[in-house]
Amino acid sequence: MPAEGLLEPRRLFAAPVEAIWLELGFGAGEHLAAQAAAQPSRGLIGCEVFENGIVKLLAEVKQRGLANVRLFVDDARVLVQSLAAASVERIFILFPDPWPKQRHHKRRLVSAAMLDALAHVLSDGGELRLATDDMEYLRVMLGGAAAHPAFEWLARRPDDWRQRPEDWPATRYERKALAAGRRPAFLRFRRRPRACEARRV
Ligand SMILES: C[S@@+](CC[C@H](N)C(=O)[O-])C[C@H]1O[C@@H](n2cnc3c(N)ncnc32)[C@H](O)[C@@H]1O
């Protein structure tokens, strides 16, 4: 049972799902729709506030007949704080707004507080996937997540973060970055088992 007032996300799906995957700031939803189609046994929860993107994803869900997608159309922070501990197997935050001006940094989705919250909702062995084409935000992501006791960065060689893995569909913002000559980074972090977290095994 989740702690009182927290949401067990599997309950959102009419048919049983093996695990929950969550995408925060899905934009036009092309990545989420592709993952939902490729992973029918997973329940996909998408979070977005941009109305045109929400409408695009809903049209795609209808057209493809995807029964394993649920949407939360408000602030991602509210959603993450509402989820039960260890209730999510995989989380995607792809090309979040970099908010380059110092005075806007507090608006960034990936922050120390968000990483703590994501570590709380991810199950042991779960995965956090981040992408960005902004080098300063990349340093923040790496500084925060790679140094976080709950996360292990899965890159062993440069291509592990320079190349998008095959099971990671491209998004509109990736295409925009490439068209503008910016090279994106694709980061994968494993959620350490809670029993090993303190010892950094
Ligand atoms: C730069 S776009 C990237 C969209 C998509 N992930 C992609 O790669 O094409 C960032 C998206 O995050 C959404 N977003 C920003 N802050 C958010 C928040 N607090 N909660 C939910 N969505 C948010 C924006 O509306 C926007 O669609």
Side-chain angles (χ1 to χ4, degrees), residues 41-72:
S41 66
R42 262 72 188 166
L44 276 283
I45 301 177
C47 175
E48 179 54 71
V49 291
F50 167 54
E51 250 179 51
N52 288 354
I54 296 164
V55 170
K56 275 198 181 119
L57 176 59
L58 285 174
E60 193 69 16
V61 164
K62 190 173 176 197
Q63 201 227 322
R64 293 198 195 195
L66 299 171
N68 59 336
V69 175
R70 296 290 181 273
L71 300 189
F72 181 80

Side-chain angles (χ1 to χ4, degrees), residues 23-30 47-50 72 74-77 93-99 107 109 171-174:
E23 181 165 349
L24 305 179
F26 60 70
E30 57 278 74
C47 175
E48 179 54 71
V49 291
F50 167 54
F72 181 80
D74 206 331
D75 194 325
R77 298 170 188 93
I93 308 181
L94 309 181
F95 301 92
D97 299 301
W99 295 110
R107 298 183 189 174
L109 205 46
T171 68
R172 182 159 158 255
Y173 272 79
E174 178 189 334

